[in-house]
Amino acid sequence: MDFSVLNEALASKSFNKIADICDNLMLQVAAEGVPFRDEWPFAIHLLGQIYIDDNNSARFLWKSIPPAIKESQLEVVAAWKIGQKLWTRDYAGVYEAIRGFDWTQQTQVLVAAFSELYTKRMFELLQSAYSTISIQDAAQFLGMSEEDASNYVLGQGWTVDPTSRMITVTKQAIVKEQKLDPGKLQRLTEYVFHLEH
């Protein structure tokens, strides 16, 4: 089976394409009637779905994996453990699932990229949902120690009060693009003016 397209995506760190590549390859080999289950990279496929935040597809992929593979490939089970934690919104558990397995070299890069992306998502969630949050809670959401979480949010422009152990969230200004430039508005005004007179 030719996984060169998948390997190229992994090598170029195009992680957002992995799920689609795996889905298309799976459809292609299934249409040809080629038995593929034993050599299929289920862990990478699951992690690809998880990376693009497609938990439904990851769940259905998990259900389609034969029990023999689930028993023999521990990395597949470890990848699904991340999916389970995401499904139940166990934010701290996601980080535990990531750190709780010794990933192979091929999946380690993808897992590290997902961990970084997930931390950014959690930071954005905190930024949109909180005005103040305890250091302990922020550390849990960001999957870091309290000291690392404090340093991370300080680097993002938030303020930390060490006496109350609270973080004040700094909302970023929302930049709205003006959809209509003045020249277009002027032409529209002239057009309406000519229609009325």
Side-chain angles (χ1 to χ4, degrees):
M1 192 172 309
D2 184 21
F3 292 117
S4 59
V5 177
L6 178 61
N7 292 331
E8 287 172 17
L10 286 167
S12 66
K13 298 186 180 190
S14 301
F15 302 124
N16 56 339
K17 296 178 183 178
I18 288 176
D20 283 338
I21 291 170
C22 288
D23 289 342
N24 290 333
L25 283 173
M26 186 179 272
L27 288 172
Q28 180 183 347
V29 295
E32 294 170 1
V34 176
F36 63 92
R37 299 243 182 232
D38 293 336
E39 57 185 275
W40 190 259
F42 284 109
I44 290 175
H45 197 165
L46 273 171
L47 290 167
Q49 300 287 5
I50 290 168
Y51 185 87
I52 60 170
D53 203 20
D54 190 356
N55 297 328
N56 284 327
S57 294
R59 187 170 60 102
F60 290 122
L61 176 62
W62 171 254
K63 288 181 176 185
S64 73
I65 298 172
I69 291 176
K70 290 178 184 177
E71 292 171 9
S72 65
Q73 296 182 18
L74 297 178
E75 193 166 52
V76 174
V77 176
W80 177 238
K81 190 169 187 174
I82 296 171
Q84 286 176 309
K85 299 298 181 181
L86 288 168
W87 189 262
T88 59
R89 293 191 170 100
D90 180 0
Y91 304 115
V94 171
Y95 294 107
E96 291 170 11
I98 289 170
R99 293 185 196 114
F101 188 78
D102 187 21
W103 302 96
T104 62
Q105 187 175 0
Q106 191 176 29
T107 57
Q108 192 173 21
V109 178
L110 178 54
V111 170
F114 169 73
S115 180
E116 185 178 317
L117 177 66
Y118 186 70
T119 300
K120 287 179 185 176
R121 287 179 189 161
M122 288 298 97
F123 178 79
E124 290 168 2
L125 176 69
L126 294 178
Q127 190 170 31
S128 66
Y130 290 91
S131 57
T132 58
I133 186 171
S134 71
I135 294 173
Q136 181 182 5
D137 289 344
Q140 199 169 27
F141 274 101
L142 297 172
M144 302 175 183
S145 68
E146 291 184 14
E147 183 181 339
D148 290 343
S150 295
N151 292 334
Y152 183 81
V153 299
L154 281 171
Q156 302 296 324
W158 295 7
T159 55
V160 176
D161 182 6
T163 55
S164 66
R165 305 204 32 84
M166 294 296 287
I167 298 170
T168 303
V169 176
T170 304
K171 306 280 185 190
Q172 290 186 347
I174 300 171
V175 178
K176 291 186 179 181
E177 293 182 26
Q178 188 175 1
K179 300 203 186 289
L180 201 55
D181 67 60
K184 288 182 182 178
L185 187 59
Q186 179 64 36
R187 287 193 299 273
L188 180 62
T189 304
E190 290 172 4
Y191 180 72
V192 171
F193 178 78
H194 285 293
L195 288 176
E196 290 179 352
H197 298 329

